[in-house]
């Protein structure tokens, strides 16, 4: 944000400088002179050189120097020498006053936000440390807890539709359409959902609005635990998950410990069709976004809708 503001200031200075140079070179003068008739090097030389006699870049940089001097307390030896230049100078001083106030307020606001976020983060970490100290938590576990807390606080959260309160102000039909736009590229990768959508697209959108959402998962957070009742089916949209098996063997009969789940993978689909318990533990190894389907709501909506008639 700071670089954007600095870039905006440089563009503003450049444009004003160009106008100032154009006035000096081409505007009519009621005194017969312009600021370009000032001494080129701040004092009269034996050759009598003025700014008209030096290079383009020296004139441009002199214009930039003059512009910056109008919006800061910096000194400058260039002055307006005719009425048009005086009018432009006065107008720019007024706009520069407002511009100065705007820049100061914007920078101050961003600095205060940064200070407040840092203070809030420090307060939360200190609260964790105090809790661990008061409850005599061992050094090894205490270090792991603090490391994970600090790591997760540094992660950029992945916003989901339920995390944006302003979206509650839009019409329910529009919100349903927005939700479908979010989930459909991932739902329709599954052949069953693709068939349902082909049968009744409108009913499928309603079903997704009621029983499907997206969830952000922080690094080292468990998506589900082994042998727990399967309350949802998941589809990994982005990120990485490690899946730890319980006595699971591959096609060759070798015992599998764990496997990394890649984006585009479905997990625990059986929960949609039967009572199911997770057969392993899924843990995020980097921040993830997953599609979550709630079986109870999904099956209930499926049975009452038009799709069931097919």
């Amino acid at each position: 944000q700071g670089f954007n503001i600095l870039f905006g200031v440089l563009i503003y200075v450049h444009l004003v400088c160009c106008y100032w140079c154009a006035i000096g070179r081409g505007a009519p003068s009621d005194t017969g002179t312009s600021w370009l008739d000032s001494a080129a090097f701040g004092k009269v030389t034996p050759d009598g050189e003025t700014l008209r006699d030096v290079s383009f870049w020296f004139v441009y940089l002199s214009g930039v120097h003059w512009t910056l001097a109008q919006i800061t307390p910096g000194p400058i030896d260039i002055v307006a020498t005719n009425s048009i230049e005086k009018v432009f100078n006065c107008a720019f001083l007024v706009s520069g006053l407002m511009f100065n106030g705007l820049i100061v307020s914007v920078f101050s606001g961003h600095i205060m936000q940064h200070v407040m976020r840092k203070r809030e983060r420090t307060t939360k970490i200190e609260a964790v440390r105090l809790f661990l100290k008061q409850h005599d938590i061992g050094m090894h576990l205490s270090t792991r807890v603090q490391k994970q807390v600090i790591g997760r606080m540094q992660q950029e959260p992945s916003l989901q539709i339920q995390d944006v309160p302003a979206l509650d102000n839009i019409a329910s039909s529009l919100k349903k359409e927005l939700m479908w736009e979010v989930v459909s590229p991932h739902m329709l990768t599954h052949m069953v959902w693709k068939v349902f959508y082909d049968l009744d697209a409108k009913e499928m959108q309603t079903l997704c609005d009621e029983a499907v959402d997206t969830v952000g998962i922080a690094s080292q957070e468990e998506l589900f635990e082994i042998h727990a009742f399967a309350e949802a089916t998941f589809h990994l949209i982005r990120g990485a998950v490690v899946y730890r098996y319980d006595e699971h063997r591959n096609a060759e009969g070798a015992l599998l410990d764990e496997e990394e789940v890649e984006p585009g993978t479905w997990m625990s689909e059986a929960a949609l069709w039967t009572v199911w318990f997770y057969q392993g533990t899924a843990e995020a190894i980097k921040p993830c976004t997953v599609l979550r389907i709630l079986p109870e709501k999904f099956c209930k909506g499926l049975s009452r809708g038009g799709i069931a008639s097919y």
Side-chain angles (χ1 to χ4, degrees), residues 30-87:
D30 54 355
T31 62
T33 60
S34 79
W35 68 272
L36 289 174
D37 295 315
S38 304
F41 306 107
K43 60 181 180 179
V44 179
T45 62
D47 298 331
E49 283 185 303
T50 67
L51 289 171
R52 294 184 186 276
D53 304 316
V54 294
S55 69
F56 165 81
W57 287 111
F58 189 88
V59 173
Y60 175 77
L61 291 174
S62 297
V64 169
H65 185 187
W66 177 87
T67 305
L68 290 172
Q70 307 310 303
I71 57 177
T72 64
I76 187 66
D77 54 0
I78 297 174
V79 295
T81 61
N82 59 57
S83 297
I84 293 180
E85 291 177 359
K86 292 283 186 185
V87 169

Side-chain angles (χ1 to χ4, degrees), residues 230-289:
E231 298 179 342
T233 295
F234 300 97
H235 172 82
L236 183 60
I237 296 176
R238 65 180 66 90
V241 169
V242 62
Y243 188 89
R244 298 186 177 89
Y245 294 97
D246 178 33
E247 298 294 327
H248 187 79
R249 297 178 182 274
N250 61 16
E252 289 74 31
L255 187 65
L256 293 177
D257 245 348
E258 61 182 39
E259 179 182 359
E260 185 172 330
V261 179
E262 298 182 351
T265 304
W266 288 88
M267 293 174 280
S268 300
E269 297 172 63
L272 292 171
W273 322 116
T274 186
V275 177
W276 188 253
F277 293 87
Y278 295 121
Q279 302 302 297
T281 298
E283 179 182 329
I285 55 178
K286 62 174 68 172
C288 301
T289 301

